[in-house]
Amino acid sequence: MTYSMDKLVAELTRDEGLRLKTYRCTAGKLTIGIGRNLDDVGITGSEARIFGCETPSAALALVKRQGVTKLQAESLFANDIVGCERDLDRNLRWWRTLDDVRQRVLLNMCFNLGIRRLLPFKNTLRMVERREFEDAADNMLKSLWARQVGGRALRLSAMMRTGKDAR
Protein backbone atom coordinates (compact mmCIF):
# COMPACT_ATOMS: atom_id res chain seq x y z
CA MET A 1 0.00 0.00 0.00
CA THR A 2 1.14 3.53 -0.65
CA TYR A 3 0.14 6.75 1.01
CA SER A 4 -1.63 9.85 -0.29
CA MET A 5 1.04 12.36 -1.28
CA ASP A 6 -1.55 15.14 -1.49
CA LYS A 7 -2.64 14.53 2.10
CA LEU A 8 0.98 14.32 3.32
CA VAL A 9 1.86 17.60 1.61
CA ALA A 10 -1.19 19.30 3.17
CA GLU A 11 -0.39 17.90 6.64
CA LEU A 12 3.28 18.86 6.54
CA THR A 13 2.52 22.31 5.15
CA ARG A 14 0.02 22.85 7.98
CA ASP A 15 2.48 21.59 10.60
CA GLU A 16 5.61 23.31 9.25
CA GLY A 17 4.17 26.40 7.61
CA LEU A 18 5.73 28.17 4.62
CA ARG A 19 8.31 30.86 5.27
CA LEU A 20 10.28 32.44 2.46
CA LYS A 21 12.87 34.00 4.77
CA THR A 22 15.12 32.12 7.20
CA TYR A 23 14.05 31.69 10.81
CA ARG A 24 15.00 29.62 13.86
CA CYS A 25 12.66 26.71 14.51
CA THR A 26 11.67 25.62 18.03
CA ALA A 27 14.81 23.44 18.17
CA GLY A 28 16.95 26.48 17.33
CA LYS A 29 17.82 25.28 13.80
CA LEU A 30 18.08 27.72 10.90
CA THR A 31 15.09 26.87 8.71
CA ILE A 32 13.42 28.07 5.51
CA GLY A 33 10.57 27.16 3.19
CA ILE A 34 8.43 24.29 4.41
CA GLY A 35 10.59 23.06 7.27
CA ARG A 36 13.98 22.81 5.47
CA ASN A 37 16.59 22.54 8.22
CA LEU A 38 19.53 24.48 6.78
CA ASP A 39 21.83 23.68 9.71
CA ASP A 40 21.58 19.90 9.32
CA VAL A 41 20.49 19.42 5.70
CA GLY A 42 21.78 22.56 3.99
CA ILE A 43 21.52 22.76 0.21
CA THR A 44 22.69 19.87 -1.98
CA GLY A 45 24.73 20.17 -5.15
CA SER A 46 21.75 19.47 -7.39
CA GLU A 47 19.61 21.93 -5.43
CA ALA A 48 22.23 24.67 -5.82
CA ARG A 49 21.23 24.91 -9.49
CA ILE A 50 17.66 25.99 -8.67
CA PHE A 51 19.26 29.05 -7.06
CA GLY A 52 21.53 29.65 -10.06
CA CYS A 53 24.62 28.75 -8.05
CA GLU A 54 27.57 26.51 -8.85
CA THR A 55 28.10 25.18 -5.31
CA PRO A 56 25.97 24.28 -2.30
CA SER A 57 27.86 26.78 -0.13
CA ALA A 58 27.14 29.62 -2.57
CA ALA A 59 23.45 28.63 -2.69
CA LEU A 60 23.26 28.46 1.10
CA ALA A 61 24.80 31.93 1.42
CA LEU A 62 22.31 33.28 -1.14
CA VAL A 63 19.35 31.68 0.65
CA LYS A 64 20.51 33.14 3.98
CA ARG A 65 20.74 36.61 2.42
CA GLN A 66 17.73 36.68 0.14
CA GLY A 67 15.40 33.86 1.13
CA VAL A 68 13.58 31.63 -1.37
CA THR A 69 10.65 31.85 -3.74
CA LYS A 70 7.57 29.70 -3.21
CA LEU A 71 8.65 27.51 -6.14
CA GLN A 72 12.14 27.05 -4.66
CA ALA A 73 10.63 26.21 -1.26
CA GLU A 74 8.37 23.61 -2.88
CA SER A 75 11.34 22.06 -4.69
CA LEU A 76 13.31 21.73 -1.44
CA PHE A 77 10.19 20.33 0.24
CA ALA A 78 9.71 17.65 -2.42
CA ASN A 79 13.35 16.60 -2.01
CA ASP A 80 12.91 16.44 1.77
CA ILE A 81 9.92 14.11 1.43
CA VAL A 82 11.91 11.82 -0.88
CA GLY A 83 14.75 11.89 1.67
CA CYS A 84 12.38 10.84 4.46
CA GLU A 85 11.04 7.98 2.35
CA ARG A 86 14.60 6.82 1.67
CA ASP A 87 15.54 7.06 5.37
CA LEU A 88 12.47 5.04 6.41
CA ASP A 89 13.12 2.46 3.68
CA ARG A 90 16.68 1.98 4.93
CA ASN A 91 15.90 1.87 8.63
CA LEU A 92 12.31 0.64 9.04
CA ARG A 93 11.86 -1.73 6.13
CA TRP A 94 8.34 -2.62 7.32
CA TRP A 95 6.92 0.92 7.28
CA ARG A 96 5.43 0.59 3.77
CA THR A 97 3.30 -2.37 4.95
CA LEU A 98 1.29 0.04 7.11
CA ASP A 99 -1.95 1.61 5.95
CA ASP A 100 -1.92 5.03 4.27
CA VAL A 101 -2.60 7.06 7.43
CA ARG A 102 0.08 5.42 9.57
CA GLN A 103 2.65 5.69 6.80
CA ARG A 104 1.97 9.43 6.79
CA VAL A 105 2.40 9.56 10.57
CA LEU A 106 5.88 8.04 10.32
CA LEU A 107 6.79 10.30 7.39
CA ASN A 108 5.59 13.34 9.31
CA MET A 109 7.60 12.38 12.38
CA CYS A 110 10.68 11.63 10.25
CA PHE A 111 10.29 14.99 8.50
CA ASN A 112 10.00 16.79 11.82
CA LEU A 113 12.63 14.91 13.81
CA GLY A 114 14.97 13.53 11.18
CA ILE A 115 15.72 9.83 11.08
CA ARG A 116 18.45 10.08 13.73
CA ARG A 117 16.00 11.50 16.27
CA LEU A 118 13.14 9.21 15.20
CA LEU A 119 15.00 5.92 15.58
CA PRO A 120 15.46 6.31 19.37
CA PHE A 121 11.65 5.94 19.64
CA LYS A 122 12.44 2.22 19.81
CA ASN A 123 9.46 1.15 21.93
CA THR A 124 7.00 3.18 19.90
CA LEU A 125 8.40 1.91 16.62
CA ARG A 126 8.33 -1.69 17.84
CA MET A 127 4.68 -1.22 18.83
CA VAL A 128 3.86 0.19 15.40
CA GLU A 129 5.61 -2.69 13.68
CA ARG A 130 3.59 -5.14 15.83
CA ARG A 131 0.38 -3.23 14.99
CA GLU A 132 -0.11 -2.25 18.64
CA PHE A 133 -1.39 1.13 17.56
CA GLU A 134 -3.16 2.16 20.80
CA ASP A 135 0.02 1.59 22.79
CA ALA A 136 2.16 3.31 20.15
CA ALA A 137 -0.13 6.36 20.20
CA ASP A 138 0.03 6.52 24.00
CA ASN A 139 3.81 6.21 23.90
CA MET A 140 4.12 9.00 21.34
CA LEU A 141 2.37 11.35 23.76
CA LYS A 142 4.75 10.52 26.63
CA SER A 143 7.77 11.90 24.77
CA LEU A 144 9.63 15.19 24.98
CA TRP A 145 8.85 15.57 21.29
CA ALA A 146 5.10 15.61 22.08
CA ARG A 147 5.58 18.35 24.65
CA GLN A 148 7.60 20.37 22.15
CA VAL A 149 5.24 20.10 19.17
CA GLY A 150 1.91 20.11 21.02
CA GLY A 151 -1.01 19.93 18.61
CA ARG A 152 1.02 18.16 15.96
CA ALA A 153 1.70 15.28 18.36
CA LEU A 154 -1.98 15.14 19.35
CA ARG A 155 -3.03 14.90 15.69
CA LEU A 156 -0.39 12.32 14.78
CA SER A 157 -1.07 10.15 17.81
CA ALA A 158 -4.81 10.22 17.03
CA MET A 159 -4.02 9.15 13.46
CA MET A 160 -1.78 6.37 14.76
CA ARG A 161 -4.46 5.21 17.21
CA THR A 162 -7.38 5.18 14.75
CA GLY A 163 -5.87 4.85 11.29
CA LYS A 164 -8.09 7.78 10.28
CA ASP A 165 -7.20 11.27 9.12
CA ALA A 166 -7.05 13.95 11.80
CA ARG A 167 -9.58 16.74 11.69
Side-chain angles (χ1 to χ4, degrees), residues 3-160:
Y3 64 91
S4 167
M5 178 64 77
D6 290 341
K7 288 181 180 181
L8 178 70
V9 165
E11 291 160 356
L12 287 171
T13 302
R14 175 198 58 216
D15 291 338
E16 297 288 338
L18 168 64
R19 297 199 196 173
L20 303 180
K21 299 289 183 191
T22 59
Y23 66 98
R24 295 274 171 197
C25 73
T26 56
K29 304 287 186 175
L30 189 64
T31 306
I32 200 160
I34 305 169
R36 169 55 74 98
N37 177 337
L38 293 172
D39 287 338
D40 294 343
V41 179
I43 304 289
T44 68
S46 61
E47 290 171 340
R49 289 190 278 284
I50 67 172
F51 298 101
C53 296
E54 295 290 319
T55 65
S57 59
L60 185 57
L62 180 72
V63 166
K64 287 179 179 179
R65 272 194 324 276
Q66 296 181 357
V68 296
T69 65
K70 186 172 187 274
L71 189 60
Q72 290 167 333
E74 289 169 347
S75 180
L76 296 175
F77 181 50
N79 290 344
D80 289 339
I81 291 172
V82 168
C84 288
E85 289 179 336
R86 186 176 52 247
D87 288 341
L88 290 171
D89 286 341
R90 285 183 187 146
N91 292 280
L92 304 174
R93 292 194 170 106
W94 47 265
W95 82 278
R96 289 192 188 262
T97 67
L98 298 170
D99 60 80
D100 162 67
V101 172
R102 293 176 176 114
Q103 284 183 38
R104 293 192 336 258
V105 170
L106 290 182
L107 279 162
N108 193 310
M109 290 180 73
C110 187
F111 190 97
N112 182 236
L113 291 161
I115 195 69
R116 282 179 277 154
R117 289 182 55 218
L118 175 62
L119 292 177
F121 281 67
K122 290 185 187 314
N123 293 333
T124 300
L125 293 171
R126 185 172 37 254
M127 292 168 189
V128 175
E129 184 179 14
R130 292 179 181 166
R131 308 306 199 253
E132 298 167 358
F133 300 125
E134 292 266 341
D135 293 336
D138 290 341
N139 222 41
M140 288 166 66
L141 293 175
K142 294 176 185 173
S143 67
L144 172 62
W145 165 78
R147 290 189 297 279
Q148 291 172 332
V149 300
R152 182 183 202 158
L154 292 173
R155 280 190 302 277
L156 293 177
S157 66
M159 291 168 67
M160 181 61 71

